[in-house]
Amino acid sequence: MNVTKVNLETVCGITSKLPDNSMPEIAFAGKSNVGKSSLINGLMNRKAYARTSQQPGKTQTINYYNINELLYFVDLPGYGYAKVSKEMQAKWGKLIERYLHTSKQLRIVFLLVDIRHDPSANDKLMYDWIVNNGFNPVIIATKLDKLKRSQVQKHVKAIRTGLNLVEGTPIFPYSALTKQGRDEIWEFIEEYVLTPEEEITEES
């Protein structure tokens, strides 16, 4: 995908009305320090459009990025590690749940996990929670550049086992530093979101 136009179109807080969009939506979920903003910037081919921070928990709203007038990237609040009260984290959880239940255009939920470590308890809870809300999240394993190439498949297998993934769930290793994995993620989005359904049916 050649991204030529990006616009942060809508920002929704805890009490905001969620937009009723007409274009497909791709949601991004992950713990606060997993590199979500860096991934979104990489996919949008922008250096710092989505806010990144050394302080975890900066994404406290649902942010809708209009990409090429074709689809939306939906950046969900990060979970875990955020230095906020349990009460506020619970409100963010309700906000995410409201989004998952009410969005008519949500096509893919990407769940980000750190490829260097086995999935945390928070990662497992988030994965199961998204599944229980009716979606099978696709996994993006961030911080790929921190591993040796020979270690990658071992860590991918650990993620698959640790999250007890639904069979066939894709895992895309990604590096914000080298952008390795960017093309594969975009190919997946284009195939499952931007390709007309009749073409997918004919190919299968």
Side-chain angles (χ1 to χ4, degrees):
M1 168 71 73
N2 180 25
V3 178
T4 57
K5 185 177 180 183
V6 173
N7 179 36
L8 176 55
E9 193 169 282
T10 310
V11 176
C12 293
I14 291 167
T15 60
S16 302
K17 183 180 185 299
L18 299 177
D20 187 12
N21 291 320
S22 59
M23 296 188 301
E25 296 172 4
I26 313 296
F28 296 84
K31 66 186 178 186
S32 302
N33 61 348
V34 77
K36 187 154 51 69
S37 297
S38 296
L39 167 71
I40 292 172
N41 281 325
L43 292 174
M44 296 191 304
N45 204 23
R46 301 294 191 273
K47 284 189 176 179
Y49 201 93
R51 290 180 301 171
T52 59
S53 174
Q54 295 302 312
Q55 180 184 347
K58 273 295 184 183
T59 305
Q60 302 178 11
T61 53
I62 296 181
N63 300 332
Y64 292 76
Y65 297 92
N66 185 329
I67 311 295
N68 283 359
E69 300 291 338
L70 285 175
L71 56 86
Y72 288 99
F73 281 176
V74 182
D75 187 6
L76 302 175
Y79 57 87
Y81 298 121
K83 292 183 179 179
V84 296
S85 67
K86 295 288 186 184
E87 181 184 1
M88 183 60 71
Q89 289 193 42
K91 288 181 178 178
W92 289 352
K94 292 290 185 185
L95 177 62
I96 296 172
E97 190 169 34
R98 181 156 59 96
Y99 169 73
L100 293 176
H101 282 171
T102 61
S103 172
K104 298 174 184 175
Q105 297 297 334
L106 181 56
R107 298 291 184 267
I108 301 171
V109 179
F110 284 121
L111 177 62
L112 281 64
V113 297
D114 189 329
I115 196 170
R116 299 172 297 176
H117 310 299
D118 289 346
S120 67
N122 276 330
D123 291 328
K124 294 174 187 176
L125 282 171
M126 191 66 177
Y127 177 79
D128 291 340
W129 189 56
I130 295 171
V131 169
N132 289 335
N133 275 281
F135 295 91
N136 288 332
V138 174
I139 307 302
I140 296 180
T142 61
K143 307 184 190 287
L144 175 62
D145 48 276
K146 305 293 186 183
L147 292 183
K148 295 177 181 177
R149 185 177 296 180
S150 60
Q151 298 174 306
V152 173
Q153 287 310 310
K154 173 187 170 186
H155 285 255
V156 166
K157 184 178 180 182
I159 291 170
R160 192 174 293 282
T161 303
L163 291 178
N164 193 23
L165 294 183
V166 173
E167 188 173 348
T169 299
I171 299 178
F172 294 101
Y174 177 79
S175 166
L177 188 65
T178 66
K179 303 299 184 290
Q180 185 177 343
R182 179 185 187 275
D183 291 346
E184 290 80 0
I185 295 168
W186 263 120
E187 285 172 10
F188 182 84
I189 292 171
E190 288 173 346
E191 179 178 354
Y192 285 95
V193 177
L194 299 179
T195 302
E197 287 187 16
E198 55 269 20
E199 289 187 24
I200 296 175
T201 303
E202 288 173 10
E203 289 174 5
S204 55

